């Protein structure tokens, strides 16, 4: 089981999901990510899924769950690098992903996080 | 009785001559175990084997390695026995190893006293027809590709002019093609121009919305353009909700909006990056 890399840049965390994710892996990733968001006082988290070439409803739920968890910890979330086949599957599965903020790549994801932080501050 | 025998022999010869005259079809008799019992001229022309080479052999000598392994011959015989007939189209192999597309009909023979007497198998070479079908299919695919072009109209902006009726096959291709292009070009905005779509019904709208959702998941925003007054009326009457998607009357306006959105995103990016890192 490969370790999930979590990189911290300033107040932003970058989490890279890849390969086969099973229940046990997912639980340990969730624990790692939430601990790291808390420890680093991250205001933005980027989840890079460009390494995921296939998804099922399980992974879709995991993504939604992870985003919810990170938001609860006070960080904005952007999912980047969703592959074409994955996007089609998610839409066909009908998993509600409307509340996920997405961007094409890490660079645009950082810009998106900046926008989300600004919106959040304005609302507050 | 002798006269009867002569007639029988004569009739048998006539039958054999008749079978041999059928050169376009392989018409053969199989024993109950699937071994080849008779052979005709058509069989020789089709497979390249002479009667001496095949009589007594199992019928699976004409089968591909894969079909041999999967036990296709046994399944065919069983189906023919149970259903009274078996029909099949698939690849078979000639003596020289060349594959041909065979149309096969297999029927069980029941002897006068009711006991199973093997099978009669009629095979025809349909390779040409098959190739024609494949050619047609390829052409259809090429036309399909031509009919759903994705155009890069600006840095980071793709346009998808949709022309004609959208059925589910075309819609799936369109979605796939568009998402691939979004991935390749990293375009942030997609303009879906529907001025060439004659009628928007619920199904077409559903296809479009799914495409938009998938593009959004990848991180590209969509703009709808070319909505004609009658289309707008129809969409509202059908209760089609385009959600947060922006819509413009013309492609020109849509492009203007796209450039504006890109500009806004760029300033947000400049904010996100500390000075000097870009």
């Amino acid at each position: 089981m490969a370790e999930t890399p979590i990189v911290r840049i300033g107040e932003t965390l970058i989490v890279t999901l890849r390969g086969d994710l099973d229940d046990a892996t997912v639980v340990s990733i969730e624990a790692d990510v939430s601990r790291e968001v808390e420890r680093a006082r991250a205001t933005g988290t980027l989840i890079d899924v460009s390494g995921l070439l296939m998804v099922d409803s399980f992974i879709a739920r995991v993504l939604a769950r992870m985003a919810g968890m990170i938001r609860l910890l006070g960080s904005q979330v952007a999912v980047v690098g969703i592959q074409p086949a994955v996007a089609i599957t998610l839409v066909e599965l009908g998993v509600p992903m409307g509340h996920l903020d997405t961007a094409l790549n890490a660079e645009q994801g950082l810009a998106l996080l900046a926008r989300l932080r600004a919106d959040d501050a304005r609302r507050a | 009785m002798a006269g009867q025998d002569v007639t029988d022999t004569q009739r048998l010869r006539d039958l054999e001559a008749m079978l041999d005259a059928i050169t376009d079809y392989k018409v053969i008799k199989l024993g109950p175990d699937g071994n080849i019992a008779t052979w005709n001229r058509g069989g020789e022309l089709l497979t390249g084997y002479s009667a001496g080479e095949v009589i007594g052999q199992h019928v699976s000598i004409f089968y591909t390695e894969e079909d041999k392994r999967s036990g296709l011959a046994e399944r065919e015989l069983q189906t023919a026995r149970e259903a009274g007939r078996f029909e099949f189209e698939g690849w078979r192999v000639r003596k020289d190893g060349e594959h041909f597309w065979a149309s096969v009909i297999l029927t069980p023979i029941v002897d006068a006293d009711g006991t199973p007497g093997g099978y009669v198998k009629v095979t025809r070479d349909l390779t040409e027809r098959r190739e024609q079908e494949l050619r047609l299919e390829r052409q259809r695919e090429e036309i399909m590709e031509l009919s759903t072009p994705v155009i890069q109209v600006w840095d980071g902006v793709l346009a998808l002019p949709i022309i004609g009726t959208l059925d589910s096959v075309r819609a799936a291709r369109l979605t796939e093609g568009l998402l691939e292009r979004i991935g390749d070009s990293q375009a942030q905005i997609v303009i879906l121009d529907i001025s060439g779509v004659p009628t928007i019904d619920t199904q077409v709208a559903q296809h479009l919305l799914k495409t938009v959702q998938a593009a959004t998941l990848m991180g590209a925003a969509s703009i709808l353009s070319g909505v004609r007054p009658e289309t707008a009326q129809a969409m509202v009457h059908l209760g089609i909700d385009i959600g947060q998607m922006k819509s413009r009357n013309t492609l020109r306006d849509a492009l203007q909006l796209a450039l504006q959105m890109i500009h806004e995103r760029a300033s947000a990016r400049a904010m996100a990056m500390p000075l000097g890192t870009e």
Side-chain angles (χ1 to χ4, degrees):
Chain A
M1 194 177 73
E3 186 100 335
T4 301
I6 304 176
V7 180
R8 188 172 72 92
I9 303 172
E11 293 187 344
T12 305
L13 286 186
I14 301 175
V15 182
T16 310
L17 297 185
R18 60 185 174 196
D20 291 329
L21 295 174
D22 55 34
D23 287 290
T25 323
V26 164
V27 170
S28 86
I29 292 173
E30 284 181 349
D32 289 352
V33 171
S34 49
R35 204 171 36 237
E36 202 56 29
V37 170
E38 209 260 324
R39 202 180 61 81
R41 294 169 187 269
T43 56
T45 306
L46 212 62
I47 305 177
D48 181 3
V49 296
S50 54
L52 294 182
L53 303 180
M54 297 296 279
V55 286
D56 50 20
S57 53
F58 168 69
I59 304 287
R61 280 199 306 275
V62 165
L63 268 179
R65 210 164 65 196
M66 208 179 281
M69 208 174 63
I70 295 168
R71 280 203 196 97
L72 278 176
L73 289 166
S75 165
Q76 303 298 325
V77 187
V79 177
V80 302
I82 293 183
Q83 296 297 304
V86 172
I88 293 176
T89 314
L90 290 177
V91 170
E92 290 298 332
L93 285 173
V95 189
M97 309 285 282
H99 54 278
L100 269 193
D101 293 292
T102 52
L104 282 159
N105 49 43
E107 190 194 351
Q108 291 182 16
L110 289 176
L112 174 61
L113 282 178
R115 274 210 304 278
L116 292 172
R117 283 188 188 110
D119 284 355
D120 197 49
R122 206 174 306 134
R123 268 203 304 275
Chain B
M1 278 314 274
Q4 183 74 34
D5 278 351
V6 170
T7 335
D8 271 357
T9 319
Q10 186 57 42
R11 269 179 54 205
L12 263 176
R13 276 205 201 107
D14 282 354
L15 266 176
E16 264 175 29
M18 192 182 91
L19 283 176
D20 266 337
I22 309 173
T23 48
D24 283 345
Y25 291 81
K26 180 179 91 177
V27 183
I28 60 170
K29 186 184 171 200
L30 303 179
D33 48 5
N35 287 342
I36 298 160
T38 73
W39 191 241
N40 79 331
R41 176 91 186 114
E44 195 171 328
L45 288 170
L46 180 59
T47 64
Y49 289 104
S50 67
E53 289 172 305
V54 289
I55 301 267
Q57 296 266 17
H58 193 256
V59 68
S60 60
I61 57 164
F62 310 121
Y63 289 38
T64 60
E65 285 306 318
E66 199 189 332
D67 287 344
K68 274 184 204 166
R69 268 198 304 278
S70 75
L72 178 67
E74 305 308 326
R75 284 205 305 281
E76 284 182 2
L77 296 179
Q78 195 190 347
T79 312
R81 222 164 35 236
E82 285 164 2
R85 172 191 170 79
F86 175 81
E87 213 171 325
F88 172 82
E89 276 194 22
W91 292 110
R92 292 289 151 87
V93 187
R94 293 189 226 276
K95 184 183 175 184
D96 59 11
E98 195 191 355
H99 284 49
F100 66 97
W101 187 259
S103 153
V104 177
I105 297 173
L106 187 65
T107 327
I109 303 169
V110 183
D111 284 341
D113 56 358
T115 53
Y119 307 85
V120 59
K121 188 166 193 175
V122 181
T123 309
R124 191 178 188 194
D125 183 356
L126 289 182
T127 311
E128 253 175 61
R129 202 203 66 191
R130 176 73 185 162
E131 275 171 357
Q132 223 160 22
E133 281 175 3
L134 289 176
R135 216 169 17 246
L136 264 178
E137 213 168 284
R138 268 200 305 276
Q139 274 170 357
R140 217 173 291 138
E141 268 178 34
E142 275 166 20
I143 291 171
M144 196 86 95
E145 242 150 57
L146 286 175
S147 69
T148 52
V150 184
I151 309 158
Q152 174 125 31
V153 286
W154 206 268
D155 282 344
V157 185
L158 297 178
L160 182 72
I162 305 167
I163 294 157
T165 316
L166 264 190
D167 56 24
S168 48
V169 179
R170 233 191 112 196
R173 286 294 287 268
L174 182 136
T175 310
E176 225 170 275
L178 177 66
L179 297 186
E180 292 290 341
R181 274 300 287 274
I182 292 174
D184 292 345
S185 65
Q186 298 285 291
Q188 305 176 48
I189 314 275
V190 175
I191 301 172
L192 295 157
D193 186 84
I194 58 165
S195 52
V197 181
T199 49
I200 295 268
D201 55 20
T202 340
Q203 217 186 347
V204 171
Q206 212 58 42
H207 286 320
L208 286 177
L209 288 178
K210 276 188 178 176
T211 308
V212 169
Q213 281 171 13
T216 309
L217 278 176
M218 284 188 70
S222 304
I223 303 172
L224 197 62
S225 93
V227 182
R228 285 173 284 136
E230 55 269 33
T231 314
Q233 284 173 32
M235 285 174 75
V236 170
H237 284 159
L238 286 168
I240 296 161
D241 180 14
I242 64 165
Q244 299 291 311
M245 196 185 1
K246 295 186 168 65
S247 180
R248 288 292 181 267
N249 191 232
T250 63
L251 189 58
R252 182 180 168 278
D253 290 347
L255 184 57
Q256 205 163 36
L257 174 64
L259 296 179
Q260 196 186 325
M261 284 162 78
I262 285 192
H263 182 71
E264 278 168 16
R265 287 181 173 210
S267 8
R269 187 152 66 233
M271 261 166 49
M273 301 281 172
L275 281 175
T277 54
E278 262 193 295

